[in-house]
Amino acid sequence: MKLIIFGNILNWNTAIQLLQTYRPDVLISGLSSLDLGQFASSPVTYTLEETAALYHSHQIDGVVNIQSENPYYFNLLTELGIKDIYVIPNTLYRKLELSESIDGDTILHPYMDVLPELMQIEFHLADHCNLNCKGCSHFSNLVPTPTFPDKEQFIRDLHQLTGYFSQIHNFYLLGGEPLLNPEIEDYITAVRHAFPYTRIIIVTNGLLLLTLKDDLIQTIKENRVHISISEYTCLDRDKIVAFVQKHSLSAELREGKECFSKYLNPRGDSDKDQVFPNCIRRNCTFLAKGKMAACCQPFVIHYFNDYFQENIPEEEGIDLYEAELDGWEIQKRLITPMESCRYCGVDVPFDCLCQKHLMQRMIGV
């Protein structure tokens, strides 16, 4: 079988090694990507159009799509008439990263014979926060009382997602401030049980990091949780670094925001088909209360509405328990503009440094 590998250049080598090692019967006839860059003049690289021409002239038998988590690329291939599309499951890459054996695993699948993959999901462990940032796009500064999710609902939703997706690449536990949730260990273990090879990432402002109990630290390490810390100016960087090193945690200090942006349009007269493709939040797939959406706004906008007496639509999203729903349909809807997009506009930045005087609602510090 002669195949061309199509997708991100950075992933070419890993895909080649997997196929050469575990599927020696597959002849890799070339490499393709939307942007070949410095490899454009190579005799073994092909544009997408050239790849389609090779397929239709029967010089190759199909394409290995190594960006299977994104339906956009699958659609590109099918629109060019390429019917024989294969995928290498992302779980294989994760197993190799963890030095686990993949002997006995099927390396190559016809694209539609396996459940689709999802690039990421975000989930609030707490809607409220211990900072009061003026421009919080999750409206945590407007949450009047401590607000946590329904844990049993979350576990049911995870189980439902396992029937739709073979893998979720990145699972973000955030907020608000996720470390405010006293049951955070239960959420971590529930995610790991449902998706053994997903990357679990806690996104935190870091203010509570130094107060973590030993049991939680152990749970974080056992479940391979990465901690992404916003390096705001109110953070004691040296203490955070020392704590991470002491406990051998997987963590990073992300550059803190120097500005936030206004983007809401309460009039609701934006063109959703123009707003959505240019929205920086459209890929922040969000899970809440049995639903999913391309961003968190449908699930948190009620805080904005309550505070400012507005009527921006609430609770729009994909019902995970809808009859005959599948992962392919979810992927399709996630890249389709929502009605809520009519209430968004162009981002307008404004300065909002996270200084200590903004910490008006410290909880547990």
Side-chain angles (χ1 to χ4, degrees), residues 164-319:
Y164 295 141
F165 300 106
S166 61
Q167 169 71 324
I168 297 175
H169 290 226
N170 299 302
F171 207 114
Y172 292 92
L173 299 175
L174 39 75
E177 173 47 52
L179 296 182
L180 290 170
N181 193 316
E183 297 183 297
I184 185 172
E185 290 181 64
D186 295 339
Y187 288 88
I188 291 171
T189 54
V191 173
R192 178 57 67 219
H193 177 74
F195 292 97
Y197 297 103
T198 191
R199 291 185 176 90
I200 303 175
I201 302 142
I202 294 174
V203 182
T204 174
N205 59 39
L207 294 172
L208 294 175
L209 196 63
L210 303 182
T211 69
L212 296 188
K213 304 298 184 183
D214 289 342
D215 287 348
L216 176 53
I217 292 172
Q218 189 61 28
T219 298
I220 287 172
K221 294 171 70 172
E222 287 178 353
N223 289 280
R224 309 187 306 276
V225 177
H226 182 73
I227 304 174
S228 182
I229 307 161
S230 302
E231 192 176 0
Y232 293 128
T233 56
C234 53
L235 199 64
D236 191 326
R237 188 182 191 279
D238 292 340
K239 287 185 178 180
I240 292 294
V241 171
F243 182 86
V244 167
Q245 291 177 341
K246 175 184 176 182
H247 295 284
S248 301
L249 297 173
S250 172
E252 63 175 328
L253 278 167
R254 293 182 297 107
E255 185 176 348
K257 279 181 174 288
E258 293 187 0
C259 70
F260 287 92
S261 296
K262 295 184 289 185
Y263 63 90
L264 288 178
N265 172 22
R267 298 187 305 276
D269 57 3
S270 297
D271 184 336
K272 63 181 181 181
D273 293 318
Q274 291 185 1
V275 168
F276 186 79
N278 298 304
C279 179
I280 63 173
R281 291 165 285 275
R282 73 184 186 281
N283 294 319
C284 301
T285 306
F286 201 83
L287 172 68
K289 301 176 183 178
K291 290 186 175 182
M292 290 172 62
C295 71
C296 69
Q297 181 165 307
F299 309 116
V300 297
I301 195 64
H302 64 95
Y303 294 119
F304 179 89
N305 285 340
D306 292 346
Y307 193 89
F308 293 105
Q309 289 78 56
E310 294 288 348
N311 293 294
I312 297 176
E314 303 175 7
E315 300 295 339
E316 184 178 7
I318 304 163
D319 184 348

Side-chain angles (χ1 to χ4, degrees), residues 88-210:
I88 300 171
N90 178 262
T91 52
L92 297 183
Y93 297 112
R94 292 292 291 137
K95 284 183 177 182
L96 290 175
E97 288 176 14
L98 297 168
S99 300
E100 293 185 11
S101 172
I102 62 172
D103 291 334
D105 287 320
T106 303
I107 305 302
L108 206 59
H109 294 263
Y111 194 84
M112 297 296 289
D113 283 4
V114 293
L115 294 175
E117 300 171 11
L118 193 64
M119 189 61 199
Q120 70 173 57
I121 275 186
E122 297 182 357
F123 181 79
H124 269 192
L125 288 184
D127 284 356
H128 59 296
C129 191
N130 51 2
L131 287 178
N132 192 33
C133 299
K134 179 180 177 181
C136 179
S137 61
H138 289 224
F139 308 113
S140 296
N141 54 335
L142 303 180
V143 181
T145 57
T147 305
F148 301 107
D150 181 329
K151 185 172 66 176
E152 297 308 314
Q153 173 76 66
F154 176 68
I155 293 173
R156 288 195 299 273
D157 293 348
L158 282 176
H159 178 73
Q160 195 74 355
L161 288 172
T162 62
Y164 295 141
F165 300 106
S166 61
Q167 169 71 324
I168 297 175
H169 290 226
N170 299 302
F171 207 114
Y172 292 92
L173 299 175
L174 39 75
E177 173 47 52
L179 296 182
L180 290 170
N181 193 316
E183 297 183 297
I184 185 172
E185 290 181 64
D186 295 339
Y187 288 88
I188 291 171
T189 54
V191 173
R192 178 57 67 219
H193 177 74
F195 292 97
Y197 297 103
T198 191
R199 291 185 176 90
I200 303 175
I201 302 142
I202 294 174
V203 182
T204 174
N205 59 39
L207 294 172
L208 294 175
L209 196 63
L210 303 182

Side-chain angles (χ1 to χ4, degrees), residues 333-352:
R333 295 190 200 176
L334 287 174
I335 59 173
T336 302
M338 300 182 291
E339 287 303 308
S340 301
C341 298
R342 296 190 293 109
Y343 293 83
C344 289
V346 177
D347 282 30
V348 180
F350 62 89
D351 290 337
C352 185

Side-chain angles (χ1 to χ4, degrees), residues 6-10 12 32-40 45-48 67 73:
F6 167 76
N8 190 328
I9 290 174
L10 297 177
W12 281 353
S32 180
S33 179
L34 286 184
D35 182 7
L36 292 171
Q38 62 179 317
F39 301 104
T45 61
Y46 302 92
T47 66
L48 200 50
Q67 297 193 174
Y73 299 99

Side-chain angles (χ1 to χ4, degrees), residues 3-9 11-12 15 18-19 26 30-34 48 51 60 62-78 82-90 93 107-112 114-117 169 328 331:
L3 301 175
I4 281 181
I5 293 175
F6 167 76
N8 190 328
I9 290 174
N11 297 328
W12 281 353
L18 268 173
L19 291 173
V26 172
L31 304 166
S32 180
S33 179
L34 286 184
L48 200 50
T51 299
I60 61 171
V63 172
V64 183
N65 176 20
I66 58 174
Q67 297 193 174
S68 55
E69 75 281 355
N70 193 327
Y72 171 75
Y73 299 99
F74 173 73
N75 292 338
L76 285 179
L77 294 167
T78 55
I82 301 174
K83 297 180 180 179
D84 297 289
I85 305 172
Y86 299 88
V87 59
I88 300 171
N90 178 262
Y93 297 112
I107 305 302
L108 206 59
H109 294 263
Y111 194 84
M112 297 296 289
V114 293
L115 294 175
E117 300 171 11
H169 290 226
W328 303 104
Q331 283 192 332

